[in-house]
Amino acid sequence: MPVNADRTTLRESADEGDLPVNELFYSLQGEGKLAGVPSVFVRTSGCNLRCWFCDSYHTSWEPTHAWMTVDDVVGEVERHDRAQHVVLTGGEPLLHESSVELLERLSAAGYHTTVETNGTIYREAPVDLASVSPKLASSTPTAANAPEGTDPGVWTDRHDEKRIDLDALVRLVETYETQVKFVVTGREDVEEATDLVEAVREHASVAVPDADVLLMPEGTTREALAERRHLVADLATEYGYRYTPRLHVDLWDDAPGT
Ligand SMILES: C[S@@+](CC[C@H](N)C(=O)[O-])C[C@H]1O[C@@H](n2cnc3c(N)ncnc32)[C@H](O)[C@@H]1O
Ligand SMILES: Nc1nc2[nH]cc(C(=O)O)c2c(=O)[nH]1
Ligand code: SF4
Ligand SMILES: [Mg+2]
C-alpha cells in the first residue's frame, strides 16, 4: 500500500520558500505514459481553477495543507528509497514559485520528475515530463454539478475564463517532453480537444504527435470508470489518440493516499 508522509514534519505556518503540502505518498503512477511506474507523489494545495469533478477536493474547493520546507519535502521523498520517479501534482503545483526549487533539488538528486499541471501557468524548471491536462468546457462548475455543499458562485465564470491559456500551453509543449491529457466525459470533449490541439500545433515550433495526446475517462471511483471507459477507448481509436487508464482507481478505488 502507498505510504503517507510522516505528519510530524509538517508545520502550521509559512516561511518564505515553503510549500503548502496536502499529501506526500508512494504509489504507482496511475495515469499517462508512465502508468505503472513506482513514484513518490508530492501534492501541493491551492488551485487557480475549480473543476466540478476535481478528484483532489482538498487542494481546490477546500484547500487544506501544512507548510513544509523544500528540504523537508526532499527528505520525505528520499525515505521512499526504491523510488526513482517523483510526481509533483496538486492542486496546481506551478502556482508556487517554490515548486521550481523543489524540482531543482529533486533533479540534482537524480530523480525523474513529472509535473501534473492544468497548463495555465508556465515556469522554467528541470521537468522530465510535463503532464499537461487542459480543462475543457465540460469541467466548468455550475450550481447543478458543483461538489455537494459548495456554491460555485464566481467560479463558474472565473473557471471558464482561466481554463485555457494558449501561450502557456505552447511554451510548455515547446520546452518540455509533454503529454497532453484530456479528461473525457463524452464525445463533445474530444471534438473540443481536437480544436485545442490544432491551435497549439499552429502556434508551436515543435510537433505534437497524436501519440502524445491522451484521453482519460472522467471518474473518481471504479464504478464510474467502468461506465465510461469503453466510450473513451472507442473515441481514442476513432481519433487516433492514446487512451490512458486510471490505474490507481482500478487498483485502489478512491482510497486516500493512492
Ligand atoms: C488533481 S489534478 C492536479 C494537477 C492539475 N491541477 C491538473 O488538473 O492537471 C491531477 C490529474 O487528475 C485529473 N483529474 C482530476 N479529477 C479527475 C476526474 N474526476 N476524473 C479523471 N481525471 C481527473 C486532472 O485532469 C489531472 O490530470
Ligand atoms: N497513483 C496515482 N497516480 C496519479 N497520477 C496523477 C495523479 C494526480 O493526482 O496528479 C495521481 C494520483 O493521485 N495517484
Ligand atoms: S485544475 Fe486540477 S486541481 Fe484544479 S480543480 Fe481542476 S482537476 Fe482539480
Ligand atoms: Mg489524482
Side-chain angles (χ1 to χ4, degrees):
M1 268 304 276
V3 187
N4 286 302
D6 173 2
R7 309 293 292 185
T8 58
T9 58
L10 305 180
R11 284 180 294 105
E12 295 294 322
S13 63
D15 287 330
E16 206 180 309
D18 288 0
L19 266 175
V21 176
N22 170 264
E23 58 178 353
L24 190 156
F25 58 93
Y26 180 49
S27 183
L28 301 179
Q29 170 58 283
E31 307 168 7
K33 290 177 177 179
L34 294 176
V37 176
S39 307
V40 179
F41 291 80
V42 179
R43 189 181 306 284
T44 60
S45 192
C47 190
N48 56 346
L49 299 182
R50 291 292 185 277
C51 303
W52 66 266
F53 53 61
C54 182
D55 65 3
S56 303
Y57 176 88
H58 287 287
T59 68
S60 52
W61 289 94
E62 198 186 307
T64 37
H65 50 261
W67 293 93
M68 288 178 80
T69 64
V70 168
D71 248 2
D72 283 343
V73 176
V74 173
E76 288 293 331
V77 168
E78 284 173 341
R79 281 158 56 109
H80 304 289
D81 54 3
R82 307 305 298 236
Q84 293 167 7
H85 288 66
V86 178
V87 180
L88 178 60
T89 184
E92 179 43 58
L94 294 183
L95 274 176
H96 312 294
E97 206 179 318
S98 305
S99 288
V100 173
E101 194 196 334
L102 175 61
L103 290 161
E104 285 169 353
R105 291 279 306 275
L106 293 169
S107 181
Y111 288 102
H112 176 286
T113 60
T114 296
V115 174
E116 302 280 349
T117 174
N118 61 29
T120 61
I121 299 167
Y122 172 83
R123 285 188 193 270
E124 202 176 302
V127 174
D128 294 307
L129 177 63
S131 179
V132 181
S133 183
K135 293 302 176 290
L136 300 170
S138 63
S139 66
T140 300
T142 64
N145 67 18
E148 215 179 306
T150 61
D151 170 7
V154 296
W155 278 104
T156 300
D157 290 342
R158 195 181 290 175
H159 177 98
D160 219 32
E161 282 157 20
K162 292 213 263 187
R163 66 187 171 79
I164 301 296
D165 183 323
L166 193 57
D167 289 344
L169 282 176
V170 167
R171 287 188 84 183
L172 287 164
V173 304
E174 285 182 340
T175 310
Y176 303 117
E177 183 184 337
T178 303
Q179 60 186 14
V180 186
K181 186 176 58 166
F182 293 101
V183 176
V184 177
T185 62
R187 174 173 287 277
E188 330 71 65
D189 292 340
V190 185
E191 288 161 11
E192 185 186 345
T194 296
D195 291 344
L196 182 59
V197 168
E198 285 308 324
V200 171
R201 284 176 175 155
E202 216 170 280
H203 290 86
S205 58
V206 296
V208 181
D210 283 353
D212 292 348
V213 178
L214 283 63
L215 304 186
M216 176 164 73
E218 190 281 324
T220 56
T221 61
R222 272 184 201 136
E223 206 184 345
L225 284 183
E227 268 183 35
R228 197 164 266 141
R229 61 157 69 95
H230 285 101
L231 167 67
V232 178
D234 287 347
L235 287 164
T237 318
E238 180 181 332
Y239 280 81
Y241 298 142
R242 189 188 291 218
Y243 172 87
T244 174
R246 285 172 54 76
L247 195 57
H248 52 311
V249 181
D250 293 337
L251 289 166
W252 299 299
D253 206 2
D254 52 359
T258 61

